[in-house]
Amino acid sequence: MKKLAMGRRCFSSRNMAIIPCSILLSFSVVAVQVGGQFSDGLGFISLDCGYGLDAQAYYVGPLSGIRYVSDAPYIDSGETHNISSVYASVTVPQRFLTVRSFPSGARNCYTFKSMTPRLKYLIRASFLYGNYDSKNSPSVQFDLHLGVNFWKTITVTNRSKVYYTETIMEATTDLISVCLVNNGRGTPFISSLELRPLNRTLYPVVNSSRSLILSSRFDMGRIGDYVRFPSDPHDRIWNPFDETTSLTKTSTNLTVENPVDDHFEAPHVVMNTAVVPVNSTKLELNLATEPGGLDEYYAVLHFSELKPLLQNESRQFFVYLGGTLWNDAKSFTPDYLSSSAVYSTNPTSAPTHYNISLVATSDSTLPPILNAAEVFSAMQNTIVPSDSRNVDAMVAIKGTYAVKRNWMGDPCVPKAYAWDGLNCTVDAAGVSRITAVNLSHGALTGEISTSFANLSEIQYLDLSYNKLTGSIPAFLAYLPSLKYLDLANNELSGLVPSSLLTKSQNGSLALRIEGNRNVCFNATSCGAKRKKPAPTIIVISCVVPVVLLLMLVVLCILRKQQGNHFFVHIQRSRGRHMRGSKEYAFQIDNRRFTYTELKKITKNFGRVLGKGGFGTVYYGHLDNSIKVAVKMLPHTSSEEFVTEAQHLSRVHHRNLVSMIGYCIDGEHLALVYEYMSQGTLKEHLRAESRGDRPLSWEQRLRIALEASQGLEYLHTGCKPPLIHRDVKTANILLNERLEAKISDFGLSKAFEDDDHSHVSTKVAGTPGYLDPEYSVKNQLSEKSDVYSFGVVLLELITGQPPILIGSEKIHIVEWVYERLAKGNVEDVVDKSLQGEYDVNCAWKIAYVALNCAMQSSAKRPTMTEVVMQLKERLALQSNLDKTQLEDRNTQKLLIEHGEMYQMSSFEIECATISDKDGPSAR
Ligand code: ATP
Ligand code: MG
């Protein structure tokens, strides 16, 4: 018989008594092991936490017959301890004699795999402190999470008591995780974790968005011990109800049946006892609820008539749940020896107590009866977990490579506990997906996991500096969003899939494969390589027309400093950035102008935009009204002019100033550039020239990113690579939308000699930006530009020039370094921002800048790494709230100790930027 009800209220979890069960059981459950997880024939998983490291270790509980196993296969963090012998009396069940504690990590999670989605599960976590840590702590408190949602705060104040909490939940995926979260009030620990599958039809108020947390469960008429498995096949714990002065216990030896559509399946041993009020027509219970009082409560009352009623007898009563009359004031009559339940379908609050009242109707000859009662608070599963395919993939990847880190629970959610080395994005429905995975230097072995194929939104995958073997899988080319793939310095072998090479060639994927000795790019080179392991740099030109490029110019050049490895440069076709943007129309042809034309364009050189080392720059506009800047060069600079003209004509990127044309007309040499209406970055940063509108923090970050992209293109997008050699804020120009572009390639010099990783040349550049190593050794590499870019970044942060002139001159790197070492980034950041910036972000950008400006070029990141460091976090906007203080202190410490290390992109967090790719919203 199905009886529905509504009502309210509940109470706090009750401590389980440590009394040996008087019922001796000869029952033992057959255990099976699936994927490292033990389950018996009933699907129970029963973990004795801290019970040894042996994954096979188990014992059978003497009273329950339940097979308890070590928790080791379900978690890879924490320490195991025995409780103190003082508390380990013979009456304490074995599962409470050991604990697993978690002194490190903010969140530590148990993971149950191969669960059945849509099935319900009862999960019970138990805690007996027993002075396991010999600290005699008077109180320990920590939080428990079920997946991504808060379950309960566990407060342990009695060292000898078992505290437990139980939830009934519906699995939404095949993974269930239970996490212990350190809330700063003690070290989380756990004694036992039990999981029991429940039929879908049980506990109907439980669904994917609502779980129940047990507040109390009483077998009302019971005398003696609590009931659990095997008396209750679902292994619920039914405690005896002791406060019975106003109640009389009653029972039957006959069996109470469960009806076919029973939603609760209360066991017969619970149902065959009950209470009735003494000399009263009203049965009233007030069950204490969780202190705090914000929770919503549900109740389930279990009834069965235990005595055959005589003809003139009747038992009929009204049910009040949490003060609310159940079922539209219809009365209730229990069935004889058949269990039925009245339960709430709507929750009610119960700040201190949950009230249950059963009031006999006026016709009733017998008082109300109550066999059992359960009260629950609701766990609203409001936090949306990450996309299950992504989660499964990451769990599989974690398993494949035995990644430890903090890789537990949901990879992205809650943000504060997101996995290290991942970035995530959240869609409109609140579902997180992984956009970046950094497993560089992760000591990974084996093949590239096919699970990466399930990371549908991944943009950035760094597997460099591992020991990965096998071939490079083609599926990587079919990850739709992948823009950066770093497989460098592994032990990969075989042919690089042509699909990947094509993506790399057309510029849609930055691909790094250097440092893999046995990788080949076509069958011929594979064969050749096997005979003679030579090579080293494979460069795909940005100048050769696309058709020719598709023939794949594979050049192998010895890189003496780095040994044998390949390096794939991204090819970018010339027309790539032309779409929908008028400035790119310039790129179609580089026009040759006559001097007369230039005179006309500039209205007889009427407006000077500025003067530089090589000449004067004039404003002009073409017939089609496109605005231009005409840089007139003295004849003596013809060498620089020719260099620049050549370079500019073949370099196209949205963050590089485009050359529209040039002039060689007798004595007259000139370059015609796209006009950048907002002038130089330098002007915008200096108080004397910028006016009263300083660049905002967000604008600065965007400019940094855009400039870094321009430089990265020079370094990696062209054959031969271009080193700018004069990176400075005066050479970063801004257009009307304040988009940044790198200008001035007059000092650039290409790698002419493929056998060398650096070029010796005369020192050039601007004081303050000059790479110190380059000045001393006169050896030029891309890292010289990285140094100068570091100085530019510092200027963006501070608004100060590269050399500060106070009582004495000090270089900006030293100036910033000294202040940050004192732990105060506020001392460094440009005062004109008036505090309108994110302190944590400022730390991180400063950190990137100082890394770029390291003395030793080897320790500086590449421009690609800088771009990733800036872009990934700026674009993906993740984890800002993640232990900001900790980050800050760590950085301070590192700076104090001079231990600057190459920071991964995942350590930069700047929430002020919210766009994805382009410099749109300003
Ligand atoms: P250096 O000669 O050392 O590079 P510089 O960068 O200051 O020094 P130029 O590149 O000749 O010298 O530029 C001189 C000035 O002309 C710049 O400061 C800028 O104000 C202006 N200018 C240069 N190019 C453009 C352009 N494309 N659009 C608008 N203004 C420009
Ligand atoms: Mg310049």
Side-chain angles (χ1 to χ4, degrees), residues 609-617 628-629 631 657 673-680 683 726 728 730-731 733 743-744 747 766:
L609 291 172
K611 261 188 180 7
F614 295 111
T616 307
V617 182
V628 293
K631 186 184 216 177
V657 175
Y673 294 106
E674 65 174 306
Y675 174 65
M676 301 292 284
S677 64
Q678 292 301 307
T680 67
E683 290 154 7
D726 197 18
K728 57 182 181 180
N731 279 340
L733 302 182
S743 76
D744 255 340
L747 293 171
T766 304

Side-chain angles (χ1 to χ4, degrees), residues 614-627:
F614 295 111
T616 307
V617 182
Y618 299 91
Y619 173 81
H621 56 80
L622 306 180
D623 289 344
N624 55 8
S625 78
I626 287 174
K627 292 170 186 164

